[in-house]
Amino acid sequence: LAKTTQPISMDSYEGQEVNITCSHNNIATNDYITWYQQFPSQGPRFIIQGYKTKVTNEVASLFIPADRKSSTLSLPRVSLSDTAVYYCLVVSNTGGFKTIFGAGTRLFVKA
Amino acid sequence: DVKVTQSSRYLVKRTGEKVFLECVQDMDHENMFWYRQDPGLGLRLIYFSYDVKMKEKGDIPEGYSVSREKKERFSLILESASTNQTSMYLCASSLVGQGLLAGELFFGEGSRLTVL
């Protein structure tokens, strides 16, 4: 069963690129990797999802190496409004449907 | 704009009370989920439903039950609330066309329950 591990917190400055890595060593063949953003007093919001290699959308990129045991969320040129908690999620149907969330990475963007 | 609405943002209940948390989505989604969120533990799946009257246990179903009588509504029930059920509860939905594995979860804003 995949367990997701991510750093507890990270600091950055406005305009920098931020990379948050999540490890999921026991990920199974059919599992997907998704990242969510959460602001205080709100529910998580979808950022990006991938299965392998690289996925890019208008807000982020997701890098997944060939062994899929980790994934890296890349946020280009962060701003103060990107200060939030970022969750890595593995969605699995091995042995029953499961959503395995990491404990979250608190990103603090400074001016 | 897509919307998942949870009926109560904040609730305070006493030990032993029966608690209902209601969730409604307006996106015609087949899949609905209940999570609890605790500091340092992330989100943990309590129950989910992929169709009306269908329910499946998640990772931590003990002490909870659910009801899905209509497609748009998914209720979480605490039959006899206990202090260890003090938590943030999040409802989510997703579109079946994307499958359970892939696709986006749409979350409500959460219901913070305190059990005294």
Side-chain angles (χ1 to χ4, degrees), chain A residues 23-81:
Chain A
S23 68
H24 25 78
N25 290 322
N26 297 323
I27 193 167
T29 303
N30 295 325
D31 296 351
Y32 276 78
I33 299 152
T34 314
W35 284 81
Y36 286 81
Q37 176 191 55
Q38 187 177 28
F39 297 111
S41 302
Q42 294 185 21
R45 186 176 65 178
F46 176 92
I47 302 173
I48 198 165
Q49 183 180 69
Y51 181 77
K52 61 181 178 181
T53 64
K54 178 183 174 182
V55 179
T56 298
N57 63 21
E58 62 276 10
V59 298
S61 294
L62 179 60
F63 299 91
I64 304 170
D67 66 6
R68 303 199 330 121
K69 292 186 177 184
S70 66
S71 59
T72 299
L73 174 72
S74 181
L75 303 172
R77 298 180 300 280
V78 294
S79 64
L80 297 177
S81 62

Side-chain angles (χ1 to χ4, degrees), chain B:
Chain B
D1 199 14
V2 297
K3 194 90 172 157
V4 176
T5 303
Q6 296 183 228
S7 56
S8 304
R9 292 297 305 274
Y10 302 94
L11 303 95
V12 180
K13 299 292 182 180
R14 296 208 173 274
T15 302
E17 279 192 80
K18 190 169 186 175
V19 181
F20 292 88
L21 298 178
E22 305 285 343
C23 175
V24 176
Q25 51 95 4
D26 65 0
M27 297 166 282
D28 203 33
H29 285 173
E30 276 77 7
N31 305 320
M32 294 189 75
F33 308 81
W34 274 106
Y35 287 89
R36 65 176 283 176
Q37 182 175 31
D38 300 288
L41 297 177
L43 284 77
R44 293 177 292 167
L45 182 62
I46 304 171
Y47 268 96
F48 67 99
S49 169
Y50 52 87
D51 200 354
V52 176
K53 296 193 185 293
M54 304 301 290
K55 61 183 179 184
E56 294 284 345
K57 292 180 180 179
D59 302 314
I60 51 164
E62 296 79 18
Y64 303 95
S65 62
V66 290
S67 173
R68 184 126 183 242
E69 296 297 318
K70 294 184 177 181
K71 187 177 183 180
E72 67 271 18
R73 188 178 298 269
F74 193 34
S75 302
L76 179 69
I77 304 153
L78 287 67
E79 293 289 342
S80 178
S82 63
T83 55
N84 63 13
Q85 292 178 309
T86 291
S87 186
M88 171 69 82
Y89 290 89
L90 289 159
C91 175
S93 71
S94 72
L95 185 61
V96 73
Q98 296 175 310
L100 277 176
L101 288 181
E104 179 177 350
L105 290 171
F106 293 88
F107 284 89
E109 293 193 321
S111 298
R112 183 165 294 282
L113 171 67
T114 301
V115 182
L116 302 175

